[in-house]
């Protein structure tokens, strides 16, 4: 039986998270490929992702070491997520760096959906959270696991892992601290099947 359907972003951090399933028969992985240039452009036009943030994140991704290659099917839409849940019948869904906005029809399937977010909630929910925390001088942060609801990053927080941002460090070093805490928390969550 599949305990966890792990849906990860299609970047190097997502690949690192996907590698946690190696050798496990109780887990299935899907790569979230819902983001594209048009979506990034739309977020930039709405002011959700400033161009400077996009550039910083791209530089950090370029510099980040590549994880071991891990092949897994892709998910681009909520319909494909529903198909994966219907065929795999997992006890829970865990998201890590997934950009797909989970719609009501997925939530209504009755499978608990948990998200790993790498900044304190609710203050720093949504995109660009690390840059916003640095700008607000809120250096004491925590990666969180929360229940997914129809409101982005507003569900009940179930687990946390504290970390500290460095005001004198580079954006990439701070991003590494945040996502390091998030990956640690993800690994702990995956080893805790009772957390739903």
């Amino acid at each position: 039986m599949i305990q966890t359907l792990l849906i990860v972003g299609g970047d190097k951090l997502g690949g690192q998270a996907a590698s946690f399933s190696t050798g496990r028969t109780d887990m299935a992985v899907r790569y979230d490929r819902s983001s594209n240039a048009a979506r990034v452009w739309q977020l930039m036009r709405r002011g959700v992702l400033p161009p400077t943030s996009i550039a910083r994140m791209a530089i950090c991704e370029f510099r980040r070491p590549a994880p071991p290659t891990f092949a897994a099917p892709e998910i681009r839409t909520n319909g494909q997520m529903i198909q994966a849940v219907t065929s795999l019948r997992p006890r829970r869904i865990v998201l890590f760096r997934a950009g797909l906005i989970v719609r009501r029809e997925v939530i209504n399937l009755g499978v608990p959906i948990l998200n790993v977010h790498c900044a304190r909630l609710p203050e720093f929910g949504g995109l660009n959270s690390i840059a916003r925390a640095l700008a607000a001088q809120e250096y004491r942060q925590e990666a969180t696991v929360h229940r997914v609801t129809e409101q982005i990053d507003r569900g009940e927080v179930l687990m946390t892992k504290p970390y500290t941002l460095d005001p004198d460090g580079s954006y990439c070093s701070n991003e590494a601290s945040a996502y390091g805490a998030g990956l640690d928390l993800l690994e702990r969550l995956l080893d805790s099947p009772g957390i739903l």
Side-chain angles (χ1 to χ4, degrees), residues 20-53:
F20 291 164
S21 68
T22 302
R24 296 183 67 152
T25 58
D26 64 339
M27 189 182 308
V29 175
R30 298 293 184 269
Y31 282 107
D32 176 351
R33 303 281 189 193
S34 62
S35 294
N36 56 35
R39 183 174 179 205
V40 171
W41 173 250
Q42 182 183 41
L43 292 168
M44 190 174 70
R45 285 185 52 211
R46 289 185 7 221
V48 176
L49 274 178
T52 53
S53 291

Side-chain angles (χ1 to χ4, degrees), residues 148-160:
V148 171
T149 66
E150 288 186 65
Q151 295 182 325
I152 295 173
D153 294 336
R154 293 291 182 173
E156 174 191 10
V157 174
L158 304 173
M159 298 171 69
T160 63

Side-chain angles (χ1 to χ4, degrees), residues 150-196:
E150 288 186 65
Q151 295 182 325
I152 295 173
D153 294 336
R154 293 291 182 173
E156 174 191 10
V157 174
L158 304 173
M159 298 171 69
T160 63
K161 177 166 176 77
Y163 68 91
T164 303
L165 295 170
D166 179 359
D168 298 319
S170 69
Y171 176 80
C172 290
S173 67
N174 279 300
E175 191 179 79
S177 295
Y179 285 107
L183 285 163
D184 288 348
L185 191 57
L186 174 64
E187 192 167 25
R188 196 169 100 211
L189 173 64
L190 296 176
D191 288 336
S192 306
I195 296 177
L196 300 173

